[in-house]
Amino acid sequence: MSANMVALAYLVASVFFILALKGLSSPESARRGNVFGMLGMTIAVVTTMTLTENWTLILGCIAIGAVIGTIIAKRVQMTAMPELVAFMHSLVGLAAVFIAIAAVNNPVSFGLPAVLPAGSKLELFLGTFIGAMTWSGSVIAFLKLSGRMSGTPVVFTGQHFLNLLLAITMIGFGLWFFFSETTNWTAFIAMTSIAFLLGFLIIIPIGGADMPVVISMLNSYSGWAAAGIGFSLGNPMLIIAGSLVGSSGAILSYIMCKAMNRPFLSVILGGFGSDGNTATGDDGGQKTHRSGSAEDAAFLMGNADSVIIIPGYGLAVARAQHAVKELAEILHEKGVNVRFAIHPVAGRMPGHMNVLLAEAEIPYEQVLEMEEINSDFSNTDVVLVLGANDVVNPAANTPGSPIYGMPILEAHKARTVMVVKRSMGVGYAGLDNDLFYMDKTMMIFGDAKKVVENMVKSI
């Protein structure tokens, strides 16, 4: 293909990527967005392959990756989607590092001068350290989300000072690499190694409740790493795709932080739940709660005028979304106004609950975001909380609480609250929930899917 044809093909692929992001902004158009993304990536890959003669090696690598990806996609559970996303981010960062190493080792094969110019060195420096930090940080996020590592923040004295010292040292080696007249492998390797270490240290002090922000932040990092390498390689497609991922991830991180009333820098520096508190507003006395059965809940909902269902991570673990859809349909047939309330950080990654409900084909008009539905709780007869904890915790209104100021779904304002949980255990933030001990609250213990199925039978 001629240079003009390549540029045109990359432009078309870029338009498809933009349309993909537009489609993915709503569950209703997400399927179409995915199709646009696949078309754009197909065009980008095919176009790039016309620029090389080494088809055998490239096709072999694509085939291996496709087999691995297909197997993972078929086996992964919806509950494991957050850690899968974190794992994929790590691969993007590692790919950026490997490309940078190859470019430094043999710049001519990438169309660069034998002696790297200053601009290319700067681009490789940025792409390498961002990619390295993305890889190691994503590995920690994967371990925490998958339960292979405790979600409790790992903190120690002088942690932030150590991170600052490492960052300054990393930049120092980067400048040494930048100003060296020849390829300075010592500076490059030292800079890359410190970046890997810094990625670990930045993520380990971040608590489990901040993981939705961490995922979107690492998504942004992976995009900027790809964009940086794209400048080095002179590949406009990589620059555009990386910039789209980087900017969208940054915007999503901002939205998540706003939803939790958390400054972005505070999340990056760690500390949400880092004091180890497991209760708020507790004077140390014994708390009592009221429990009931699925039959009791069915009776209350069947005789209500309005019901709001709040899904949480417990619903995902139990894979109860299809049973919940059946419950909503039966209640609707009885004339009950049923709606779903979604908190921006419910679950373990942005949009987790939206995806689950969309999988069960629950009508989009019944699914409302927190800002749309919060004012309706005070006029609602029954709220059914399914496995959610931190996003409905009234402790967010208590000064001194680790989650003070975090916007929550105001389920405590409804006339009756029913909470389905396996136990009275705390949520991912490690905080007890005052909602569970209110007089208007009835706890229903058990697997969410089985409990909801029993509710359906009773109704």
Side-chain angles (χ1 to χ4, degrees), residues 282-307:
D282 188 2
D283 59 4
Q286 183 68 32
K287 293 183 178 181
T288 59
H289 62 271
R290 182 167 61 97
S291 60
S293 65
E295 291 71 23
D296 298 329
F299 176 79
L300 291 171
M301 287 189 292
N303 290 279
D305 290 325
S306 57
V307 172

Side-chain angles (χ1 to χ4, degrees), residues 38-109:
M38 288 185 285
L39 287 173
M41 186 56 67
T42 300
I43 294 172
V45 170
V46 171
T47 302
T48 303
M49 289 182 65
T50 64
L51 305 178
T52 181
E53 297 178 356
N54 200 349
W55 283 51
T56 304
L57 180 61
I58 293 176
L59 289 175
C61 292
I62 290 177
I64 293 172
V67 170
I68 296 173
T70 301
I71 293 173
I72 292 176
K74 286 183 174 296
R75 291 183 177 180
V76 69
Q77 300 293 324
M78 283 302 301
T79 50
M81 197 59 68
E83 55 258 41
L84 177 64
V85 172
F87 179 72
M88 293 301 179
H89 291 164
S90 73
L91 296 181
V92 176
L94 194 60
V97 174
F98 283 155
I99 292 173
I101 292 173
V104 172
N105 181 62
N106 189 2
V108 176
S109 65

